[in-house]
Amino acid sequence: MSSQLDFAKELIEFIYDSPTAFQAVDNVKKVLGNCGFTELKNEDRWELVKGGKYFVTKNDSAITAFHVGNGEVSENGFKIIGAHTDSPSFRVKPAAEMTSENYYVRLNTESYGGPILNTWMDRPLSVAGRVAVKGKDAFNPITKLLNIKKPILIIPNLAIHMNRDVNKGVELNKQKDTLPLIAIVNESLEKGNYLINEISKEIGVQASDIIDFDLFLYEFEKGSIVGLNDEFISSPRLDDLAMVHAGIIALTRAEVSNATNIMICFDNEEVGSTTKQGADSQLLSNILERIVLSMGGDRQDFFRAIAKSFMISGDLAHAVHPNVPEKHDPQNRPLINKGPVIKVSASQSYTTDSNSSAVYDEICKNVNVPVQWFVNRSDQRGGSTIGPISSSHIEIRSVDMGTPILAMHSIRELGGVLDHTYVTDSFTEFYRA
């Protein structure tokens, strides 16, 4: 198990260095650059060659990497894996600083996605994201990434002595109860600019040059391997950076076949995907068409390529919870370290059908990767993911799957060491086949 354990530790490092979607994309770019991929710009003409390796970003928070196949794209199509770079968190609002008792300084935040709120309490937190500073003109601000690598925030709980019913269940108010404490009022600092001054120091610009920011809270503590026999991965943001990491590593490992291999990492899945960098956009469709056109094809060739294509939508799955096993379907019961999970729903909240599940199942069998199945209880509504959203824009056979975890959307989720190797092996085989 030593190789699987080492690979799980690589995932933990990748996640720790990727506190927001912006840093995740930046780290993916570094991996791709080290493996001979060339960056393309959306505003440039693309001159692609067979066997070429490329990537392109959107909004600094979504990235698409691809390895052009050796065959004609219209005849061999695309092999696509999709994932998302964002995770539930708290976003810092404009004019964020709020004082209490004329002494404590808090940050005004709003929840991003659907975090399990109480898991964010009493933990050392920090801030990361993207900052816009003055550029050469109004239409071209300079973008700088920010990661304050020290614990500067905490959301303190109310003591049980003042909240005797806390262990019976308390609803947290997002505007009142989850505002993080950042500092104590210090007259030597400029009032109302504690955060801006810290940002200025971190990115090396004048505070007056900072125009705006996209900043999010994150847990400062790194993930870890846990369990008596090192079976588990305990980490923030496994959903969905585990799939991002597995897909990118698979893309760089696999030798290209006749088809063109693509790994697309969307942003904003946790808030509905309805952005220019989300799955509910023309992002994927436009990139696929540009590849066809750049290889000398036309619109007809694009549609022919789509008909020959297949997509794996990779987003984590729910493992059976040992303390609440009745929440799962009585027959289909995914377990940690038993392999990737194919997700099925009669409501089509997952794209999987018998044809697409058969494809992924056979791919896994080729490399001795076990497969599990997830369906919701018939009396319980489940979630959805990027698969059906992407399918509404582009007609590609697709399967929804993911590795099983516990505590999805907690500040720390729990996955399996073996599962990360299993899913990466399946992705690598998918690209090679």
Side-chain angles (χ1 to χ4, degrees), residues 115-323:
I116 301 177
L117 298 178
N118 61 23
T119 64
W120 286 77
M121 310 296 284
D122 304 316
R123 292 179 183 264
L125 306 172
S126 193
V127 171
R130 177 178 69 172
V131 181
V133 302
K134 290 181 180 177
K136 60 182 181 180
D137 58 58
F139 288 98
N140 293 282
I142 297 170
T143 294
K144 291 184 175 290
L145 298 188
L146 171 75
N147 182 8
I148 300 177
K149 296 182 178 180
K150 66 177 183 178
I152 63 170
L153 300 165
I154 196 162
I155 307 172
N157 246 310
L158 181 64
I160 193 171
H161 312 80
M162 302 174 186
N163 187 9
R164 293 290 182 180
D165 293 331
V166 63
N167 290 326
K168 296 179 182 179
V170 173
E171 183 177 357
L172 296 174
N173 184 295
K174 296 177 184 178
Q175 185 57 65
K176 180 176 181 292
D177 298 320
T178 59
L179 301 185
L181 181 66
I182 186 172
I184 290 174
V185 172
N186 186 335
E187 296 301 329
S188 66
L189 296 176
E190 185 180 352
K191 188 174 181 180
N193 285 323
Y194 292 86
L195 181 61
I196 290 295
N197 288 335
E198 185 66 23
I199 294 171
S200 169
K201 183 171 66 175
E202 287 283 336
I203 64 175
V205 302
Q206 295 294 320
S208 58
D209 287 337
I210 297 172
I211 303 171
D212 200 359
F213 49 70
D214 302 295
L215 298 181
F216 298 84
L217 310 191
Y218 74 94
E219 184 191 23
F220 185 73
E221 184 180 352
K222 185 186 291 188
S224 58
I225 302 296
V226 301
L228 189 62
N229 298 303
D230 294 334
E231 303 101 324
F232 303 111
I233 304 169
S234 171
S235 176
R237 301 182 299 283
L238 287 174
D239 177 18
D240 193 34
L241 292 186
M243 295 295 95
V244 171
H245 182 259
I248 289 296
I249 296 301
L251 182 68
T252 59
R253 285 180 178 176
E255 293 182 4
V256 74
S257 60
N258 286 331
T260 293
N261 295 336
I262 293 180
M263 177 67 197
I264 183 163
C265 306
F266 296 105
D267 191 11
N268 304 128
E269 188 273 346
E270 300 292 355
V271 290
S273 298
T274 56
T275 60
K276 62 185 180 298
Q277 60 273 4
D280 197 5
S281 72
Q282 291 300 111
L283 178 60
L284 175 58
S285 179
N286 288 347
I287 288 173
L288 299 184
E289 185 169 3
R290 288 194 73 170
I291 292 172
V292 172
L293 296 175
S294 299
M295 298 301 295
D298 57 21
R299 185 83 169 158
Q300 284 273 16
D301 292 320
F302 168 63
F303 289 119
R304 293 172 65 205
I306 295 305
K308 298 285 184 67
S309 299
F310 192 91
M311 180 173 178
I312 297 175
S313 168
D315 202 356
L316 298 196
H318 299 290
V320 173
H321 198 294
N323 296 342

Side-chain angles (χ1 to χ4, degrees), residues 47 61 74 82 148 173 183 193 266 329 352 357 379 402 420:
E47 304 293 339
S61 61
S74 59
I148 300 177
N173 184 295
N193 285 323
F266 296 105
D329 179 77
T352 307
S357 66
D379 57 0
H420 194 55

Side-chain angles (χ1 to χ4, degrees), residues 57-68:
T57 65
K58 192 74 170 179
N59 190 54
D60 304 318
S61 61
I63 186 166
T64 306
F66 57 96
H67 193 169
V68 179

Side-chain angles (χ1 to χ4, degrees), residues 15 45 73 83-84 94 110 215 248 284 293 305 323 325 345 378 389:
I15 291 174
R45 290 186 63 86
V73 66
H84 64 89
E110 60 180 322
L215 298 181
I248 289 296
L284 175 58
L293 296 175
N323 296 342
S345 173
S378 299
I389 296 172

